[in-house]
Amino acid sequence: MDRRVSALRVIARSLSSRSRRPEPQQLRPFTSCTARRTDGVFRTLTENRVRTPWIEALRKKQQEGEDPTKASGKAETPKHRDLSPKKMSDSYHSVILPLAQDPWLLDTYLNSSGHIRFGTLLMDLDALSGIIAYKHTGDGVTTVTAACDRITIQHPLTEICDLELSGKVTYATGRSSMEIALQVAKVPQSGQQSKPEDVMLTCQFTMVSLDPGTKKSVKISPVLAETEEEQRLFRQGEQNSQHRKQLTLRSLLKQTPDDEESDLIHALWQKQLQYHDPNDPLRKPHNVHFMDATRLSTANIMQPQYRNR
């Protein structure tokens, strides 16, 4: 009888101590903004992506014994694809960045001085070029960015406003590569037309289509130039393509400097020797700099202290 009473007392004390335990404390996040599941690119540009974190996809491939960085050897692009010519307007795509309307979105685009970070816009343009490329090529291919060049800042952004990112395929001959012309412009006021001075920057992306399995280039549809403006864009893309090929052929990795280039280098070397000679009256001009003085180092400017939260 005494044993039963003592056992009941132990159970009662245990239940009483559990009832007096404090409830688990709710952890407060470091920031009050909504978590954005993105890699820094504007969320509208990532809606069509596969909703699987890349690290999980990588681990899955590794568990299956496959190396995603190497070709599988099996062609995955359909052999009988529709490669008929397409219009430039078929690949046109535009996205509005509501920077003036969404303070938290603007917060991700500002630097410490209160200006729009140019690199963030380039990330968005890279994602936009992928969307445009797939609208032209269709499914069944892998499209990668080969180059981003001819970035022209026509009118620097001096105010916070909504921005429109737009572009389309302007050059494709049926091979594996295509050129995409992109621009960033201010969104005009309601009822007004866009003006040339509203265009902030223009640039061209070169994209290449590959077979997902073999990692080799595959053919894509050529693009049609119907209007005079489209024909101008197509000719410009053709000139850009020829210029890139010429630069590749003239690369120092493939050929040595010719006689004219060697003579120029030697003349520059002789000239700088005169700058160091105290007995020579020739002195270095103010607009000439030595090579070691052109070394650059980057500096990461962190957010000011009052932005900590």
Side-chain angles (χ1 to χ4, degrees):
M1 185 67 180
D2 294 339
R3 291 181 179 177
R4 293 181 59 186
V5 172
S6 60
L8 290 174
R9 289 176 179 175
V10 171
I11 295 175
R13 284 197 300 268
S14 176
L15 294 175
S16 177
S17 61
R18 289 183 181 179
S19 62
R20 290 195 303 268
R21 284 182 182 174
E23 295 182 359
Q25 184 179 3
Q26 297 292 333
L27 298 179
R28 178 179 176 273
F30 285 110
T31 177
S32 59
C33 62
T34 305
R36 301 181 184 274
R37 296 184 179 276
T38 176
D39 53 0
V41 180
F42 183 45
R43 57 185 178 274
T44 305
L45 296 170
T46 61
E47 291 177 349
N48 295 329
R49 291 184 178 179
V50 179
R51 296 299 177 182
T52 302
W54 72 269
I55 187 64
E56 293 185 7
L58 176 63
R59 289 172 178 170
K60 182 180 179 181
K61 288 290 185 180
Q62 291 176 342
Q63 291 175 358
E64 295 175 354
E66 299 180 7
D67 188 353
T69 61
K70 297 182 179 180
S72 63
K74 295 182 179 179
E76 299 181 13
T77 301
K79 295 183 180 180
H80 305 287
R81 292 188 301 133
D82 182 15
L83 298 180
S84 57
K86 295 184 179 180
K87 301 179 180 179
M88 288 188 183
S89 57
D90 293 339
S91 60
Y92 177 81
H93 194 82
S94 65
V95 174
I96 302 296
L97 281 176
L99 299 180
Q101 305 175 34
D102 190 344
W104 285 114
L105 177 64
L106 175 63
D107 193 68
T108 62
Y109 282 79
L110 290 181
N111 56 21
S112 59
S113 60
H115 296 88
I116 301 297
R117 287 186 293 152
F118 189 73
T120 309
L121 291 179
L122 290 180
M123 290 173 59
D124 289 342
L125 290 175
D126 187 28
L128 177 61
S129 64
I131 295 176
I132 295 172
Y134 279 113
K135 290 182 70 173
H136 182 78
T137 62
D139 298 332
V141 299
T142 296
T143 303
V144 297
T145 304
C148 172
D149 49 9
R150 283 168 292 279
I151 301 175
T152 305
I153 301 178
Q154 298 183 356
H155 300 91
L157 190 63
T158 58
E159 59 179 332
I160 301 300
C161 59
D162 295 343
L163 298 177
E164 181 183 20
L165 282 61
S166 60
K168 59 185 176 182
V169 176
T170 56
Y171 180 72
T173 60
R175 299 177 66 88
S176 60
S177 63
M178 72 193 89
E179 184 171 284
I180 298 176
L182 302 170
Q183 76 169 23
V184 179
K186 298 180 183 178
V187 177
Q189 298 293 333
S190 178
Q192 297 183 2
Q193 297 292 332
S194 179
K195 303 176 183 178
E197 56 267 23
D198 292 337
V199 179
M200 175 186 172
L201 68 88
T202 58
C203 62
Q204 283 79 34
F205 274 75
T206 302
M207 312 293 287
V208 177
S209 296
L210 307 175
D211 187 293
T214 61
K215 308 297 182 182
K216 296 182 179 180
S217 59
V218 294
K219 293 183 178 180
I220 60 174
S221 301
V223 68
L224 292 175
E226 298 178 331
T227 64
E228 293 183 2
E229 176 64 18
E230 291 180 350
Q231 292 176 1
R232 184 190 67 82
L233 292 173
F234 188 88
R235 289 194 299 269
Q236 183 63 46
E238 188 175 15
Q239 294 176 3
N240 296 337
S241 177
Q242 293 176 355
H243 180 66
R244 284 192 296 270
K245 292 178 181 178
Q246 292 175 359
L247 289 179
T248 303
L249 294 176
R250 293 166 51 191
S251 173
L252 293 176
L253 298 175
K254 293 187 176 181
Q255 63 179 13
T256 59
D258 54 24
D259 294 339
E260 182 180 359
E261 293 171 338
S262 299
D263 293 341
L264 177 61
I265 296 173
H266 187 260
L268 292 174
W269 177 73
Q270 286 181 321
K271 182 72 69 174
Q272 67 91 20
L273 288 180
Q274 292 180 276
Y275 297 152
H276 294 283
D277 188 357
N279 299 322
D280 196 309
L282 185 63
R283 290 294 176 264
K284 182 176 72 67
H286 295 290
N287 61 344
V288 175
H289 303 278
F290 293 114
M291 187 178 296
D292 58 353
T294 61
R295 184 184 297 113
L296 296 178
S297 60
T298 58
N300 294 325
I301 301 177
M302 310 305 293
Q303 294 291 349
Q305 184 177 359
Y306 69 87
R307 287 291 307 276
N308 294 340
R309 56 181 180 267

